[in-house]
Amino acid sequence: MRIPAHAVCTAIRDDIVSGFFGPGGRLTEEVLARRYGVSRVPVREALRTLESEGFVTTRRHAGACVAEPTEQEAADLLELRMLLEPLAASRAARRRTEGHLKVLRGLVRLGQERARRAQGEDLRALGSWFHETLAQASGSPGLISLLTQTRHKIAWMYVVEAPARPVDSWAEHGAIVDAVARGDAERARSLTALHTATAAEAHRPRVRTSQRAVNMASGPH
């Protein structure tokens, strides 16, 4: 059975985000095809997609290589997320379904419970799921796609420290959901803007000490 290019693309992207393929490292079609057990055709398609997303760059005489983002590029990306997340919350307040609300409320309950127990790894996963669901509730395919790509790149470029007050962080999530449930787009936007600004302070660039490129030697958040 032929493995689709999008599945190969996801696998390569995950390996880049995790640091398996370091910045500047060559990505040869033959090696990648062998690693994922596919032909070179889906690998070639996947590399083109990843280049359009900014994870891969093509160099003369070297071919495809992992991109080496700079501190400024990382900072710009974090600022972009701080603009997009509130927009998604605002649209979610107008377009969410009962299904979205059920999932969001369930995540808040779990998050608050885990926060009280200081279960950090669970909180990390639940937080990602919360923001992905909030984006889905926006009903905007282009915005959802852009936010998903932005989150992937932030996971690649940053280490994220655990919130100093996780209970407060999940209380903020709960307030956002309440605003979305009431259809209060402006409050959903303002609460999310405040939340993302606070969360941004916990992001630490994976930057090499002697160079401007982001260092992906350590794992993702």
Side-chain angles (χ1 to χ4, degrees):
M1 182 178 69
R2 184 178 183 272
I3 298 176
H6 69 79
V8 179
C9 183
T10 298
I12 299 173
R13 186 192 299 110
D14 287 348
D15 277 342
I16 291 173
V17 170
S18 71
F20 182 85
F21 296 126
R26 291 188 63 190
L27 298 169
T28 62
E29 292 179 9
E30 183 179 357
V31 171
L32 293 174
R34 188 163 57 246
R35 173 171 173 77
Y36 304 116
V38 298
S39 72
R40 295 172 65 168
V41 174
V43 168
R44 192 174 303 123
E45 293 177 26
L47 289 176
R48 283 198 293 265
T49 298
L50 291 169
E51 184 168 17
S52 71
E53 293 179 358
F55 288 96
V56 171
T57 186
T58 301
R59 295 177 180 171
R60 188 177 181 183
H61 305 310
C65 300
V66 179
E68 299 181 83
T70 65
E71 285 187 74
Q72 186 59 61
E73 288 169 338
D76 288 348
L77 196 68
L78 199 58
E79 185 176 359
L80 178 62
R81 182 176 179 179
M82 291 169 65
L83 294 172
L84 295 178
E85 292 278 5
L87 176 60
S90 175
R91 290 188 177 180
R94 297 191 294 266
R95 303 177 183 178
R96 89 293 184 281
T97 66
E98 288 303 313
H100 290 131
L101 286 178
K102 183 176 181 180
V103 174
L104 288 167
R105 285 171 171 153
L107 289 169
V108 168
R109 284 195 298 272
L110 282 173
Q112 291 174 337
E113 176 186 324
R114 299 295 194 275
R116 287 192 294 270
R117 297 180 182 179
Q119 295 176 311
E121 288 306 311
D122 286 350
L123 288 176
R124 202 178 291 271
L126 288 170
S128 295
W129 193 1
F130 176 88
H131 287 284
E132 288 171 11
T133 304
L134 188 62
Q136 290 290 333
S138 74
S140 301
L143 180 58
I144 294 166
S145 176
L146 187 55
L147 269 169
T148 298
Q149 186 181 136
T150 300
R151 288 193 200 97
H152 284 147
K153 294 181 80 172
I154 286 175
W156 176 37
M157 296 181 186
Y158 286 92
V159 175
V160 183
E161 299 173 355
R165 301 173 65 88
V167 172
D168 291 348
S169 178
W170 278 94
E172 292 171 7
H173 285 141
I176 292 168
V177 174
D178 288 342
V180 169
R182 291 195 304 270
D184 191 337
E186 187 51 45
R187 182 162 176 76
R189 179 195 293 271
S190 62
L191 287 173
T192 305
L194 191 62
H195 175 73
T196 52
T198 301
E201 296 175 2
H203 288 65
R204 300 290 176 261
R206 304 178 192 269
V207 181
R208 293 173 179 158
T209 56
S210 61
Q211 298 181 39
R212 296 178 64 237
V214 172
N215 180 7
M216 296 307 303
S218 53
H221 76 273

